[in-house]
Amino acid sequence: MNFDLEFAVQNFFQAVLGIPTTLLIVAVAVAIGLPLAFLIALARIHKVPVLHTILTLFISFMRGTPMVVQIFLIYNGMPVLLGILAQAFGKTFDVYAVNPIIYAFVVFSLNTAAGYSEMWKAGLSAVGKGQFEASYMVGLSSFQTYTKVIIPQAFGVIAPSFCSSTLNMLKNTSLVFIMTVMDITARAKMAAGLEYKYVEGYVDLLIVYIIVCSTLEWLFKKYEKHITRYKTENYGYKKKPKIETGVSYD
């Protein structure tokens, strides 16, 4: 069997058309999963009664089961749950008219939240308690302390793990074709299946994912270098930022 180069080129551009959908799933999962993971990490660090146990079980389930199982549970379970809720409120709702990409948003956001929460927990634990005390002493509220002092430092610690986890999540989005979402994999496999040219189809997938992942990896490294430019190995800083206090000691 000969390799059909002409078909491979045509199919390559079909796969490229799925890139926006793949990146959209990744963007939504990060936008929802990252702050949700932060709240989960806080609840676990402070050991909130009951909630701590529930969240620990949630993380164990999401990290201990294959992504494909989670996809099938969400994709088949959510329509049933939505139908039950619609009946309970006396509403008529066509659950099967829901765009499948919504289910992809849900499953990847939940999976991402579970994974990112472990990173946030490690990052927040790496920030010394003295940072909280110093912030309160200068009059910062708890919200200001987290947003201006704690989170920037914690994110500098978790940046490498965040980058690798996000790239792994992007590669896992290849499974959304199970839910009939027209991503990179779905478009390439459909075209290859019609012509029975699977080798060409998978070569196209390989090339497209290498291009997308390599580009994102380069962008992540640039961003990681930017936010960690002052960080040393012991999470200190190479040079201290200038703080304007408005008080002169001369």
Side-chain angles (χ1 to χ4, degrees):
M1 180 168 45
N2 297 325
F3 186 86
D4 191 338
L5 182 59
E6 183 180 355
F7 173 81
V9 172
Q10 294 175 352
N11 194 46
F12 172 81
F13 289 104
Q14 280 295 319
V16 167
L17 292 176
I19 291 178
T21 300
T22 296
L23 294 181
L24 176 62
I25 295 171
V26 172
V28 171
V30 172
I32 296 175
L34 195 61
L36 182 58
F38 176 76
L39 297 176
I40 292 173
L42 279 183
R44 296 186 67 206
I45 289 173
H46 294 289
K47 298 187 182 300
V48 179
V50 182
L51 187 59
H52 175 270
T53 303
I54 294 173
L55 291 175
T56 300
L57 292 174
F58 164 74
I59 292 171
S60 297
F61 172 79
M62 298 304 293
R63 300 188 69 189
T65 56
M67 175 66 78
V68 67
V69 173
Q70 298 168 22
I71 288 174
F72 278 123
L73 282 175
I74 296 295
Y75 186 54
N76 294 291
M78 276 195 68
V80 175
L81 180 60
L82 290 173
I84 293 173
L85 290 174
Q87 281 187 340
F89 288 97
K91 303 291 183 179
T92 56
F93 179 66
D94 185 6
V95 296
Y96 297 104
V98 177
N99 191 324
I101 199 171
I102 301 299
Y103 301 127
F105 292 157
V106 173
V107 67
F108 279 92
S109 295
L110 292 175
N111 186 276
T112 300
Y116 285 171
S117 68
E118 293 297 300
M119 296 188 308
W120 272 124
K121 187 179 179 183
L124 292 171
S125 299
V127 180
K129 293 183 178 179
Q131 299 288 332
F132 290 93
E133 297 171 358
S135 299
Y136 295 147
M137 286 181 66
V138 297
L140 296 181
S141 65
S142 295
F143 179 78
Q144 291 173 321
T145 298
Y146 273 105
T147 55
K148 297 181 181 295
V149 180
I150 306 303
I151 292 177
Q153 293 185 61
F155 199 79
V157 175
I158 69 172
S161 297
F162 169 75
C163 298
S164 60
S165 295
T166 304
L167 287 175
N168 286 332
M169 188 249 294
L170 185 147
K171 288 179 281 188
N172 283 333
T173 59
S174 61
L175 295 171
V176 299
F177 79 93
I178 297 172
M179 297 184 284
T180 69
V181 176
M182 297 302 292
D183 72 321
I184 297 171
T185 303
R187 288 182 177 274
K189 288 189 69 172
M190 283 183 64
L194 290 173
E195 299 289 335
Y196 295 100
K197 298 183 184 296
Y198 293 104
V199 174
E200 292 86 342
Y202 284 114
V203 169
D204 288 333
L205 281 176
L206 174 67
I207 295 172
V208 172
Y209 276 110
I210 286 176
I211 293 172
V212 174
C213 290
S214 298
T215 302
L216 285 181
E217 184 179 9
W218 178 79
L219 291 173
F220 277 140
K221 283 183 177 179
K222 295 287 286 185
Y223 181 66
E224 180 185 339
K225 184 178 179 180
H226 171 72
I227 65 173
T228 61
R229 62 192 183 279
Y230 298 123
K231 184 169 72 68
T232 61
E233 292 182 357
N234 62 347
Y235 305 127
Y237 286 86
K238 294 179 182 177
K239 62 178 182 179
K240 296 180 180 179
K242 183 178 179 181
I243 300 176
E244 298 291 344
T245 62
V247 179
S248 175
Y249 295 94
D250 295 333

